[in-house]
Amino acid sequence: EDEEAILRPKVHRTVTMQQAQAEIKFGVQASQNGCSYMEDANSARIIEYGCKPSKRSSRVSIASSSRKSVKAKGCYHYFAVFDGHGGSRAAAYAIENVPELLAENFDNLATDMEGSLKSAFETTESDWLKQADKRGWEDGSTAAVALVDPQHKVFWIANVGDSEILMITKKSGAPQPQSNFVTQVHTPRRSRDERIRVEVAGG
């Protein structure tokens, strides 16, 4: 394969899915750029409990089924991008474990979404580091996650590293849509808090 072909961006997969019941449409596209293999991972799922699935849906459903009683009912649409660095294993691990941890903690999502997201991120990182240390792996990953409550029309976002979430809105009657980033990038050059954290850690 010639050098020009290697450097040419490559589309890993392009998928368009629709969850008709909740009237949310979304598409997924990924490019591995000049890498010889895809290091990143993306996911679009529904985290649910007590929510009847649509037969027309092409979704992946995650449900907590260990409880005898249901304190909370509903669905959350989960979207995530994990940007792998130094390999694909950390991103692949996170893409599976973060939503599963959220599903296991479903009853707390409605009352403490921020805490639930932080806990899912921290547990995933801790568990991954244990596995990686045993095997000598150096894979890492950034993260950008959005959870949407279609019933109440609210959403939450969480990110780690330099992965960003761009929100685009268009008000009725406005000539053009408006866009703005709703995440804070954790890099020393763009975040004062991150620069201080790195310096305190000896970096």
Side-chain angles (χ1 to χ4, degrees), residues 139-201:
D139 308 44
S141 179
T142 67
V145 170
L147 271 171
V148 180
D149 180 345
Q151 181 179 357
H152 299 98
K153 297 182 180 180
V154 295
F155 71 95
W156 298 262
I157 57 100
N159 73 300
V160 173
D162 60 359
S163 289
E164 298 184 83
I165 295 176
L166 178 69
M167 183 172 68
I168 301 175
T169 59
K170 187 176 188 299
K171 295 182 179 180
S172 178
Q176 297 293 333
Q178 301 294 317
S179 63
N180 64 290
F181 287 103
V182 291
T183 46
Q184 178 181 352
V185 175
H186 305 127
T187 62
R189 286 186 299 175
R190 296 174 59 183
S191 169
R192 179 177 178 273
D193 291 342
E194 180 66 9
R195 184 173 70 252
I196 293 173
R197 187 194 69 80
V198 171
E199 290 173 349
V200 169

Side-chain angles (χ1 to χ4, degrees), residues 98 116-126 143 145 158-160:
V98 170
S116 299
L117 284 165
K118 285 183 177 180
S119 177
F121 274 42
E122 290 170 353
T123 301
T124 298
E125 180 183 43
S126 176
V145 170
N159 73 300
V160 173

